């Protein structure tokens, strides 16, 4: 499989290593200072760039009938536009706030726990996410996905970075610490105890491996998908 890497920072280089280990070829390594030359040779593109580049990268792929996997976060106000463009061009597109296989299983656990805990009003929920200091968005896309999972399965209506937000809002404590690939914790706290679930990434390899798996899966398909489709997770 021929892969275009859109974004060639730390994540792009890890994706490159794993893709090569799996027998794939890299036909484009795009940074902020290079062009899309070579994109037309790709079977699939993987976008791990920056929020201000994601829409342009995804659009370029869809306009040229290149399936695209995007793990860039912080641009989701334009996600509906990319879905509409994918449908218009009859393309193939996967966005994931986190491509780690473990995190996607954690999403399922989070949904189940939120549904179960919604019956017990004595517990309040809060979240903590910790990432490396180079991460540009806060809270992380993964934290937002986790918050949405709780909102969809409970009486909570929103999330906030403000600790003093109202009782129907999930407080997210977003911390930035050197050399932390990604840690996400969810707390259900009452007067007498706390229930906690937590996912800790040990390196970027899990994110990169999942993105390559998603790219392999996407080739030959049409439509807008998620990692739930890739992993065949059923509600």
């Amino acid at each position: 499989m021929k892969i275009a890497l859109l974004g060639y920072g730390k994540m792009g280089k890890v994706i490159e290593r794993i893709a090569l280990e799996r027998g794939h070829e890299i036909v484009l390594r795009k940074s902020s200072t290079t062009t899309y030359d070579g994109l037309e040779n790709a079977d699939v593109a993987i976008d791990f760039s920056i929020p201000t580049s994601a829409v342009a990268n995804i659009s370029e792929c869809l306009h040229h009938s290149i399936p695209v996997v995007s793990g860039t976060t912080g641009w989701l106000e334009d996600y509906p536009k990319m879905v509409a463009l994918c449908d218009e061009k009859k393309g193939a597109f996967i966005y994931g706030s986190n491509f780690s296989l473990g995190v996607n299983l954690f999403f399922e656990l989070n949904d189940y726990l939120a549904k179960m805990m919604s019956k017990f009003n004595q517990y309040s929920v809060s979240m903590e996410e910790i990432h490396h200091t180079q991460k540009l968005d806060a809270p992380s896309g993964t934290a937002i996905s986790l918050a949405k999972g709780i909102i969809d399965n409970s009486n909570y209506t929103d999330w906030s970075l403000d600790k003093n937000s109202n009782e129907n809002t999930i407080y997210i404590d977003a911390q930035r610490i050197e050399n932390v690939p990604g840690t996400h914790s969810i707390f259900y706290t009452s007067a007498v105890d706390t229930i906690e679930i937590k996912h800790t990434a040990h390196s970027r390899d899990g994110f990169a491996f999942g993105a390559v798996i998603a790219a392999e899966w996407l080739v030959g398909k049409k439509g807008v998908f998620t990692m739930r489709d890739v992993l065949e997770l059923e509600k």
Side-chain angles (χ1 to χ4, degrees):
M1 190 169 74
K2 296 179 179 179
I3 299 174
L5 296 178
L6 307 180
Y8 197 55
K10 291 180 179 178
M11 268 301 299
K13 291 179 174 65
V14 178
I15 291 169
E16 176 181 40
R17 172 171 56 78
I18 288 175
L20 293 175
E21 288 171 356
R22 293 180 66 81
H24 302 307
E25 178 185 353
I26 307 301
V27 296
L28 171 62
R29 299 167 179 84
K30 188 183 186 313
S31 68
S32 59
T33 59
T34 58
T35 70
Y36 291 103
D37 288 348
L39 180 63
E40 68 278 4
N41 300 318
D43 298 311
V44 66
I46 301 177
D47 166 57
F48 271 80
S49 55
I50 58 175
T52 52
S53 299
V55 170
N57 287 343
I58 297 164
S59 298
E60 190 75 15
C61 292
L62 294 175
H63 279 295
H64 289 86
S65 301
I66 306 295
V68 56
V69 171
S70 178
T72 306
T73 58
W75 62 274
L76 284 190
E77 65 275 7
D78 290 317
Y79 178 76
K81 296 178 185 176
M82 296 300 96
V83 170
L85 181 61
C86 184
D87 290 341
E88 176 191 337
K89 298 296 182 181
K90 296 181 171 54
F93 172 45
I94 294 177
Y95 164 76
S97 60
N98 194 313
F99 281 91
S100 160
L101 306 188
V103 164
N104 280 276
L105 296 174
F106 190 63
F107 285 153
E108 301 298 307
L109 175 62
N110 175 62
D111 289 357
Y112 182 81
L113 181 60
K115 189 178 299 184
M116 184 169 62
M117 294 302 294
S118 66
K119 303 173 184 176
F120 301 97
N121 294 330
Q122 65 267 42
Y123 287 89
S124 61
V125 66
S126 62
M127 296 172 54
E128 176 187 84
E129 62 99 344
I130 309 171
H131 278 88
H132 51 86
T133 53
Q134 290 76 40
K135 186 163 181 59
L136 299 179
D137 53 322
S140 67
T142 302
I144 293 172
S145 293
L146 289 164
K148 185 178 184 302
I150 296 169
I151 290 165
D152 288 347
N153 291 284
S154 71
N155 295 322
Y156 284 90
T157 57
D158 203 357
W159 60 265
S160 176
L161 294 171
D162 180 3
K163 192 173 186 178
N164 298 313
S165 51
N166 68 55
E167 63 180 12
N168 292 324
T169 300
I170 303 163
Y171 169 57
I172 303 177
D173 179 14
Q175 301 181 30
R176 296 294 174 262
I177 299 173
E178 274 305 327
N179 301 318
V180 177
T183 301
H184 295 84
S185 303
I186 297 147
F187 308 95
Y188 287 86
T189 305
S190 74
V192 298
D193 60 7
T194 297
I195 300 168
E196 173 186 355
I197 59 172
K198 180 178 184 179
H199 179 274
T200 303
H202 301 310
S203 72
R204 291 181 171 87
D205 283 30
F207 313 135
F209 177 76
V212 174
I213 292 293
E216 292 172 352
W217 182 89
L218 188 60
V219 171
K221 294 181 173 64
K222 301 293 182 185
V224 178
F225 304 99
T226 70
M227 278 299 282
R228 297 195 81 258
D229 299 302
V230 177
L231 299 179
E232 299 181 350
L233 297 173
E234 297 181 359
K235 285 292 187 185

